[in-house]
Amino acid sequence: MRGADAAGRAVEARARAASGPGSEPADTPVVPESGADASARAGDGPVGASGAGGDATRADAAAAPRASAAESAASAPPSTDPAGVPTMFDVARHAGVSHQTVSRVLNDLPGVAAATRTRVRESIAALNYTPSPTARAMAQRRSGSIGLIQAGRPDYGPSSAALGFNEAAREAGYAVSQASMRTLDADVLRQAVHRLVLQRVEAIVLISGEREGIDVLRGIDAGVPLVAVASEPEPGLHRVSFDQAAGARLATEHLIGVGHRRIVHVAGPADSMDAAERRRGFAAALEAHGLEVRESFAGDWLAASGHAAGRRLLADGWATAVFVGNDQMSLGLLHACHEAGVSVPGDLSVVGFDDIPEAGYFTPALTTVRQDFDSLGRDIMATVADVLRDEAAAPDRTARVPELVVRASTAAPRG
């Protein structure tokens, strides 16, 4: 990450040295260019963007002033600039739409309902907002590509969803330019967005379960639609996700249904939207049956944290069943039970979440909640297509409910 930051600062320094008084306004929307032009550029920067090959150094240097200005806009409340000149954010707020919709209207792109287009134009006139004529002229060219950013560990779920998205995009005739980062870093994420914009992608997708990534994306004026995998409501972004709370309720209701009354939860990281939704669904199911909701044991999605949580809950000795936030932590917890001589499911029933390919081969085979990550990836592409056709009318896809898979790790409590 330190190397990525240094590279980003070097690009910005070269751009500042080359920029003059004729540079375009900071809120100028950056719009798609032809596929031939896009294929000449590549995300060869520190975030590891992949796509068509080429050298993007000159393009990066030329556009870095706008990228830096967009970053500044992301860190401040959307408002007029210090000189009192209205920005795209002001137009969006006045019209009651997203700034991406304003960009599409400015660039005469399809995908905006007639009434919305009229309202945006009225707001532009009312605020006397003037966009860059150069950017508007470039808008007639389309790249046929979509940007994909994966931020976080390459776990089974996000990686599988990305594969499903790539396949669906290819079938729809789009190329995908991809940037990945093992841990979420706000500055590197901004760089990834800006580099994808330089490649003239028509939309950008973020697959990351951390709230910080959504906050960063929401604050960037990319000039193209933004679609995110996000299980919590996020105004200003188009969302795709499974109903995580509903999946957690399925797991908890299963344990209640076989007779358990003392059930605990091993939760994912505090900054994870999915983890928060699963905690919420777990608690709602217990409360609906008048059962005690104890504080969750903390985990981080990895097997080692499930093992540590398992040792703590076994030492406590209260629970007869546990709902674990994902299958990897379930594996660690099962190992803790084996070490302690605790029988599963005889002494403790265990339910996981995700249904990774190995879940059926745990000892015992794991009862879990299956998420069809391939279909999630295809939902992402379907949402992108809807947004590109008519952003104002594009629906979020967040109602798909995971499926409970019952195996050998759950049974009625003894006695």
Side-chain angles (χ1 to χ4, degrees), residues 271-346:
D271 61 351
S272 166
M273 292 178 287
D274 288 353
E277 286 296 288
R278 292 171 197 175
R279 285 195 301 272
R280 185 170 69 85
F282 167 75
L286 291 182
E287 290 168 354
H289 290 269
L291 301 178
E292 180 180 353
V293 181
R294 289 203 164 188
E295 183 177 355
S296 298
F297 292 88
D300 63 4
W301 297 139
L302 298 179
S305 70
H307 180 263
R311 294 181 65 178
R312 292 197 301 273
L313 73 87
L314 292 176
D316 178 71
W318 179 80
T320 64
V322 55
F323 164 47
V324 188
N326 76 340
D327 291 346
Q328 284 91 345
M329 292 192 297
S330 297
L331 177 61
L333 187 141
L334 289 173
H335 186 62
C337 290
H338 173 74
E339 290 176 330
V342 173
S343 170
V344 176

Side-chain angles (χ1 to χ4, degrees), residues 93-413:
R93 186 172 57 219
H94 190 276
V97 299
S98 69
H99 61 271
Q100 295 97 327
T101 297
V102 175
S103 176
R104 297 183 72 80
V105 172
L106 289 169
N107 294 325
D108 295 325
L109 293 175
V112 182
T116 302
R117 192 179 296 271
T118 298
R119 191 164 71 253
V120 170
R121 286 173 175 161
E122 289 173 349
S123 294
I124 291 170
L127 297 176
N128 197 26
Y129 171 72
T130 304
S132 163
T134 302
R136 299 226 13 213
M138 292 169 60
Q140 305 306 315
R141 292 176 286 176
R142 304 291 293 275
S143 68
S145 65
I146 301 167
L148 171 63
I149 301 173
Q150 282 186 265
R153 290 190 305 266
D155 292 333
Y156 171 73
S159 298
S160 299
L163 285 174
F165 167 75
N166 273 275
E167 290 176 354
R170 184 171 60 249
E171 292 167 4
Y174 284 91
V176 176
S177 295
Q178 186 162 330
S180 301
M181 58 198 75
R182 187 175 295 274
T183 58
L184 195 150
D185 180 281
D187 290 336
V188 177
L189 178 55
R190 291 188 186 96
Q191 292 176 30
V193 171
H194 297 147
R195 290 182 181 277
L196 289 170
V197 167
L198 288 174
Q199 296 179 45
R200 311 307 186 202
V201 295
E202 296 183 29
I204 293 176
V205 171
L206 174 66
I207 298 179
S208 174
E210 297 180 35
R211 292 187 189 89
E212 182 182 10
I214 301 299
D215 292 340
V216 170
L217 196 66
R218 191 173 50 209
I220 294 177
D221 180 7
V224 297
L226 305 174
V227 177
V229 177
S231 53
E232 294 178 342
E234 291 295 335
L237 292 181
H238 303 282
R239 292 193 303 129
V240 181
S241 75
F242 287 102
D243 188 334
Q244 302 293 326
R249 286 194 298 270
L250 284 175
T252 311
E253 291 282 357
H254 168 68
L255 293 170
I256 295 170
V258 297
H260 292 279
R261 296 295 178 267
R262 301 196 304 276
I263 308 169
V264 295
H265 178 45
V266 177
D271 61 351
S272 166
M273 292 178 287
D274 288 353
E277 286 296 288
R278 292 171 197 175
R279 285 195 301 272
R280 185 170 69 85
F282 167 75
L286 291 182
E287 290 168 354
H289 290 269
L291 301 178
E292 180 180 353
V293 181
R294 289 203 164 188
E295 183 177 355
S296 298
F297 292 88
D300 63 4
W301 297 139
L302 298 179
S305 70
H307 180 263
R311 294 181 65 178
R312 292 197 301 273
L313 73 87
L314 292 176
D316 178 71
W318 179 80
T320 64
V322 55
F323 164 47
V324 188
N326 76 340
D327 291 346
Q328 284 91 345
M329 292 192 297
S330 297
L331 177 61
L333 187 141
L334 289 173
H335 186 62
C337 290
H338 173 74
E339 290 176 330
V342 173
S343 170
V344 176
D347 299 320
L348 184 74
S349 284
V350 179
V351 180
F353 207 102
D354 285 341
D355 195 28
I356 62 174
E358 300 83 4
Y361 300 92
F362 288 2
T363 302
L366 184 66
T367 295
T368 187
V369 178
R370 175 180 295 159
Q371 300 194 91
D372 184 347
F373 292 108
D374 181 74
S375 70
L376 178 65
R378 292 180 176 276
D379 279 354
I380 296 170
M381 183 59 220
T383 301
V384 169
D386 286 344
V387 168
L388 292 176
R389 278 192 297 268
D390 186 345
E391 183 170 9
D396 287 349
R397 287 176 168 82
T398 59
R400 189 188 290 269
V401 177
E403 173 189 359
L404 180 69
V405 180
V406 179
R407 297 193 179 103
S409 66
T410 53

Side-chain angles (χ1 to χ4, degrees), residues 22-70:
S23 59
E24 293 178 2
D27 61 338
T28 296
V30 182
V31 293
E33 66 183 358
S34 66
D37 291 339
S39 66
R41 307 180 187 275
D44 61 343
V47 296
S50 62
D55 182 4
T57 303
R58 288 187 297 275
D60 287 352
R66 284 180 295 188
S68 299

